[in-house]
Amino acid sequence: MCHYRFFVLFTVLALKSVECMFVYYQNYEFFSTIKLNDYNGYYGNVKILKYSMPNDVLSAIWRLQLVSSESCPSTDVYFYLEHSAYPVISPHNRTFPYYFNGGRLTKTMIKKSIGGSNQNKQDVYLNISSPSAGNWFSAAFTDSQDRKIKPEILKSNCTYFLTSSLNIWQINDTVVLYPNTTTQSREHSDFKIYKFMSTTTGPYLSFNIKLKQSNSSVCTVKSLLKQSAFPDMKNFKNNDDHVICQSNSSKQCSLSTDYPLANSWYYLGITSECNYSVEVALSNNCVESPFFISNKTLSTIMESTFPGLLKQKKDEFCRKLFQPIETFRFIGPTYFSVKYYFNSNHNRSNALLIRNEKKPYFIEFLVDQANNGGTLNFYLVNNLINDPNLYESDFLVNKASLFPSEKNPKNSTHSSKSKTSNLAEIKVMLYACLLFNSMSKYKNCPDGFLLSTQSFTNIFSNFQLNVAYPFMGKWYLAVWKECFNINTNESVTCPTDFVPHALIQISSDQCANDYCGEYGTCYIINSQLNLVSACKCSGGYEGYGCTDGRNAIPARIYLASVLFLTTSNLVFLLPICLAIYRKWYIESLIYFYNMFFSTFYHACDQEFYSFCIFNYDGLQLADFISSYSSFIITVLAMSSFERQWKVFTFFVGLLACISIGLYDRFSYSTFVVFLCIAISFTIFTWIKICISKRKLYPERRQLIRYYLPGFILALTGLLIYSFLQTKSNYWILHSIWHMCMASSIVFFLPKEETQHFGTDLSGENLKVALILDHITTTTATSSSLSDSSETSNSPPTSKSLIHANVTEISLLEA
């Protein structure tokens, strides 16, 4: 705990140390407490939170307060963080489908253990330096290693909570730069940040730094360029767009980027070891011309005759050359279903001729809340054609001389023909790079986002790429060609008479191409008002598209589990037949009801080989009610109530079981309480009989031969059900539970009706009882005194005894 406090203190002191350099203010965002769920391989159990990040943020600190209830086992809490997209997670290192981009996995993550031997309340801090502006998304969940299945009454009431807050330090004194202007800075040795808003898309954007040495010492300046966020000077050398300049060097000190994006901020950070003055010059002009005029006199005449025409043509050419191909999208009727089409292509074929060599065509499309929770799909089919006029498109522009080495198109064409007269010796490669919010990094394409295929004549080749939970913003697909010698693999000039013809399809769908394979189902999840699609896998399969089968259950095991869970209920035929034989008809009906619905519930509750006679929820409710009723009615049958009272208590118990099932079918505690009440009634009747008869009831022989084996079977089933069941052995142990409980009923069910308690002993029944009792007593007395009665006249006859007893009863009635 102390090192976290030290971290926060160190961060605050570091920010205080730059107070003299920047004018900043602190912003605070707080989220209410949420309950975390166990991941269990399903993205629907993840809690997603969204944070808003403004521009010009120097540092952002996420504070996470983790709390667990008392006596909870140790568990791991995961917190993933991603900018502009839902985090793509794989805590168990599960694989993705074949065409999916594995480099999309979220790397910013915190893992913390809580509960058990760890503290029940912990604070965790995550610091992000120079975060990008926009929305940030987090995914939080627990990952418990305890996979046992326990009833609610035996489960520890463990809950884990997360409270998150975001502190940001925002700078509001950055210097704004303007195109084609020079900004003078005062002499200083501090870190300074400049920013520039690019308004158009052009070939390049450059920042020229001119050092003005104030003394004879050598001055060193470090500069760093970054898009959409402040430069991180701590990781200076890990950035590509950086430069170190010396004041005594004749080399120009500048930073530039190719293909700057319109309506995007570019930040320039400069620091030095000594005092200096700096001039920052920005250039955003296209230097190329659609045609070349070598005669200066002719150029002057053209400019004087048509003022501004050359500049206008030049600007139009640049906009056409470097403007990406725009798309419009068609939003489908289902969540995250979007298709993209080229704006000028009315037939929606998305065809493109790749004529420019080593210079990409950029296709621009937008991803927002309409499809950020699904999967982005790219599909490209291409082949070489020798008649480009058949496929002429609005997006095809004549190749212009963009570089000094290509000033003469004729020579270039002639050279191409001379080098590519034999197409069999040339390998034409088509490349595509998928870029987010950038057009300048296509040569150094990020891992997993580069695709390549060889083009052939009369043969169609294709490639595919899928991106899970794409970033929200503008995406660019860069497509270009390169040619190589088949024998030497050296780069050669591409032929002009054969051109790759590409057919591009861009779309988005739910889950993995609107499909989760044979072992999963696609669901739409609403997590904290964030919509996302995810696959819920079955049969032990895992992964984003349910394609990772390392823990999959074999088909033979799965079929065996289905048969075990269903056929094990046939053991209930024993108590059913026994109850009918002993004339316990209501009980036999309940046991049959239990066997029937338990069998078909388990037949329906299967990921494969399932069979449902009606909806799953109804089968589950019927199974729970029948199971509860079997327990209650068996216990009440063992009591010594009169039959009419037993029937009454049977129906009271049945209605109670139905009420429990409707209220909360998984509320085992409520059922156990009611079962204890039923057992108490039964034991109460036994105790009353024991007191009245002054002997053990039930008899010792019945207790040992019947109730003891039944109790052992029932206890074994309860122990298995409560403590030993796991996901891997569920089908075996739960089947044993079925057999144990059905077998115990055979021993618990009484042989005959016992009506010792609650019997009516008034009226005629009382008369007959007294007569029979008196006859039995008198007969026994006369038999014991037979020896002493020899001296008497004659023993009393049975008729006289009955007459005497009837007279006695008449006197009692009087």
Side-chain angles (χ1 to χ4, degrees), residues 584 631-641 645-646 649-650 674-690 697-698 702-703 707 748 750 754 756-757:
W584 297 92
F631 278 101
I632 298 297
I633 284 184
T634 302
V635 171
L636 293 176
M638 296 166 61
S639 66
S640 297
F641 284 113
W645 290 106
K646 280 187 178 181
T649 54
F650 287 169
F674 191 77
L675 180 62
C676 291
I677 294 174
I679 294 174
S680 300
F681 275 120
T682 301
I683 295 177
F684 174 73
T685 61
W686 291 353
I687 293 175
K688 289 288 292 183
I689 294 174
C690 289
Y697 184 84
Q702 186 177 4
L703 288 174
Y707 287 171
F748 283 140
T754 55
H756 299 285
F757 183 76

Side-chain angles (χ1 to χ4, degrees), residues 461-634:
S461 59
N462 62 81
F463 53 73
Q464 181 180 349
L465 176 65
N466 303 97
V467 181
Y469 306 145
F471 297 99
M472 288 194 300
K474 288 186 177 181
W475 286 76
Y476 297 90
L477 182 64
V479 184
W480 72 98
K481 67 176 180 180
E482 294 183 17
C483 297
F484 302 91
N485 187 289
I486 293 180
N487 299 322
T488 62
N489 204 29
E490 295 180 353
S491 179
V492 296
T493 305
C494 291
T496 57
D497 49 349
F498 286 93
V499 181
H501 172 252
L503 194 64
I504 301 171
Q505 180 180 341
I506 307 175
S507 63
S508 65
D509 286 304
Q510 303 173 8
C511 298
N513 281 341
D514 202 16
Y515 183 62
C516 293
E518 299 178 359
Y519 308 102
T521 307
C522 185
Y523 290 93
I524 302 298
I525 304 152
N526 186 350
S527 177
Q528 311 299 116
L529 300 180
N530 298 291
L531 287 179
V532 63
S533 63
C535 291
K536 189 172 185 179
C537 306
S538 57
Y541 284 84
E542 298 173 292
Y544 181 81
C546 301
T547 55
D548 194 316
R550 68 184 72 182
N551 296 323
I553 302 174
R556 63 182 186 278
I557 300 298
Y558 211 94
L559 182 60
S561 67
V562 176
L563 294 176
F564 264 69
L565 289 170
T566 53
T567 57
S568 60
N569 288 286
L570 296 178
V571 182
F572 274 94
L573 290 173
L574 294 176
I576 291 172
C577 295
L578 183 63
I580 294 174
Y581 176 76
R582 295 179 177 177
K583 299 182 180 180
W584 297 92
Y585 300 116
I586 298 178
E587 287 80 357
S588 64
L589 178 62
I590 296 298
Y591 300 150
F592 176 79
Y593 184 85
N594 189 2
M595 180 190 70
F596 180 84
F597 282 102
S598 179
T599 300
F600 284 99
Y601 165 66
H602 285 290
C604 183
D605 185 31
Q606 302 296 329
E607 296 169 344
F608 311 107
Y609 310 109
S610 63
F611 175 75
C612 302
I613 57 175
F614 54 87
N615 66 81
Y616 174 83
D617 188 71
L619 285 172
Q620 187 185 66
L621 178 62
D623 174 63
F624 275 68
I625 291 175
S626 61
S627 300
Y628 295 161
S629 302
S630 297
F631 278 101
I632 298 297
I633 284 184
T634 302

Side-chain angles (χ1 to χ4, degrees), residues 251-373:
K251 185 179 179 181
Q252 184 180 8
C253 185
S254 64
L255 280 172
S256 63
T257 179
D258 297 331
Y259 304 104
L261 298 183
N263 303 318
S264 180
W265 284 105
Y266 288 84
Y267 292 88
L268 178 67
I270 300 177
T271 186
S272 68
E273 299 174 353
C274 58
N275 295 331
Y276 69 96
S277 296
V278 61
E279 294 180 357
V280 181
L282 300 175
S283 177
N284 195 28
N285 291 335
C286 176
V287 297
E288 304 300 332
S289 176
F291 47 89
F292 180 71
I293 301 178
S294 58
N295 193 319
K296 293 184 179 180
T297 305
L298 182 59
S299 176
T300 305
I301 294 174
M302 286 288 294
E303 183 65 28
S304 60
T305 306
F306 304 100
L309 178 61
L310 293 180
K311 184 178 183 302
Q312 179 183 357
K313 293 295 184 181
K314 176 181 175 182
D315 293 340
E316 290 178 358
F317 171 77
C318 289
R319 284 195 298 269
K320 186 177 181 181
L321 183 61
F322 294 100
Q323 187 69 27
I325 301 172
E326 296 181 351
T327 59
F328 73 93
R329 58 183 182 174
F330 173 77
I331 300 178
T334 58
Y335 284 105
F336 313 124
S337 177
V338 177
K339 295 185 182 299
Y340 296 90
Y341 301 99
F342 295 169
N343 262 344
S344 300
N345 200 347
H346 302 290
N347 59 7
R348 298 185 178 181
S349 62
N350 285 4
L352 188 65
L353 282 178
I354 313 300
R355 286 184 171 179
N356 290 348
E357 183 179 349
K358 298 183 180 180
K359 300 172 186 63
Y361 292 90
F362 290 101
I363 303 170
E364 178 186 278
F365 59 96
L366 179 67
V367 173
D368 57 11
Q369 293 181 352
N371 55 341
N372 69 321

